[in-house]
Amino acid sequence: AGAHHDSGNRYRGCAALHGEYGSTGGLQETVNTSLRVLAAMIIVLLAQFAAVVILFTFEASVHYYLADGLAHSILFYGKDGDNAKFTEALDYLQQNLKCCGEYGFDDYMSPNASNWFSNNYGDLPDSCCEVVSEDCGFDAMDINDPSKAPTGFYLEGCFEVTKDNIKMWLTIAGSAALVFMFVQVIAIFLNISLQRRFKEHEDYQLQSKKVKGVKDQEQAQDKAAAPVTAI
């Protein structure tokens, strides 16, 4: 009878131990998953912050290369062969952004536009016309007063128009990134709060298991100590 009681006690002890670690194991897996999610969110947040900083840091560099590209396009505008790409690029900008020249329409009356200045003095590119047609820019300028604005043409320079467009898109992208980062920060704090709740629940479960284990052990000892009535 004593051996029977001892084996029963060992069985109950093993079952209690298995139940304790089984339930806490499932909770621990949930905690580990939550921690991995938290780490991934922090990494993404840091990457976004770095991207926003780089985005606004390189804005000045973008403006520099834009001005340099437009200056080369004005310089070689109207040439054929390998330089035809400059004409095509500037025509595309002038038609789609509704601008003319780098800083204004009168760029084409400047020696900076060397090819156009030499061969088409007094004319404007057709892509500067508000309504594009063949030779619409012919003899558009007043050669006696080059600063006089012609009618029916785009007057603002492409540099300022393009720079304003870049600034607008950078502002939109930066604002969207900041909003998303704000949402992520809130999610991170919620995740940290959830971690604390998990930890508190885990500690409570472990404490409850320990108390229950002590009571079960005491009950088992009481049963083992009780006299067995002979039949």
Side-chain angles (χ1 to χ4, degrees):
H4 175 74
H5 280 294
D6 289 341
S7 63
N9 291 339
R10 285 196 295 269
Y11 175 78
R12 284 191 292 270
C14 291
L17 188 65
H18 180 271
E20 177 179 346
Y21 283 99
S23 60
T24 55
L27 181 61
Q28 185 62 43
E29 181 61 29
T30 303
V31 172
N32 291 339
T33 302
S34 182
L35 283 172
R36 287 192 289 268
V37 172
L38 177 62
M41 291 173 65
I42 292 174
I43 292 172
V44 171
L45 180 65
L46 292 175
Q48 283 182 319
F49 179 76
V52 170
V53 171
I54 292 172
L55 191 69
F56 286 100
T57 300
F58 281 92
E59 183 180 0
S61 298
V62 172
H63 293 166
Y64 170 79
Y65 288 112
L66 172 64
D68 186 66
L70 286 172
H72 278 81
S73 297
I74 291 288
L75 181 65
F76 296 110
Y77 188 86
K79 285 190 174 183
D80 298 325
D82 293 338
N83 293 317
K85 60 185 179 182
F86 293 106
T87 302
E88 294 171 1
L90 196 51
D91 280 340
Y92 178 84
L93 279 179
Q94 291 178 157
Q95 290 176 13
N96 287 276
L97 298 183
K98 300 180 179 181
C99 54
C100 188
E102 182 179 5
Y103 297 105
F105 67 95
D106 51 350
D107 283 344
Y108 290 103
M109 297 292 286
S110 167
N112 291 331
S114 58
N115 181 68
W116 190 264
F117 182 82
S118 301
N119 300 306
N120 302 87
Y121 189 76
D123 299 341
L124 284 177
D126 292 343
S127 57
C128 287
C129 298
E130 293 179 356
V131 179
V132 178
S133 61
E134 188 175 359
D135 294 331
C136 62
F138 179 75
D139 204 20
M141 299 292 293
D142 185 349
I143 58 175
N144 296 317
D145 186 7
S147 62
K148 183 179 180 181
T151 56
F153 293 86
Y154 302 123
L155 307 177
E156 190 174 2
C158 292
F159 177 77
E160 288 298 326
V161 175
T162 307
K163 188 175 75 171
D164 290 344
N165 273 272
I166 292 173
K167 185 176 181 179
M168 179 188 70
W169 286 110
L170 284 177
T171 302
I172 292 173
S175 300
L178 289 174
V179 169
F180 189 57
M181 287 168 63
F182 178 73
V183 172
Q184 282 184 302
V185 169
I186 294 176
I188 286 172
F189 278 109
L190 290 176
N191 196 300
I192 293 173
S193 176
L194 188 62
Q195 292 292 330
R196 293 181 60 186
R197 296 294 298 274
F198 276 142
K199 187 66 173 61
E200 291 172 358
H201 184 64
E202 183 182 16
D203 292 343
Y204 174 76
Q205 277 195 330
L206 288 174
Q207 188 64 30
S208 298
K209 294 292 183 182
K210 288 179 180 178
V211 172
K212 187 175 183 300
V214 171
K215 288 182 178 179
D216 289 345
Q217 187 176 7
E218 290 175 351
Q219 289 177 358
Q221 289 175 350
D222 292 342
K223 288 181 179 180
V228 179
T229 304
I231 299 176

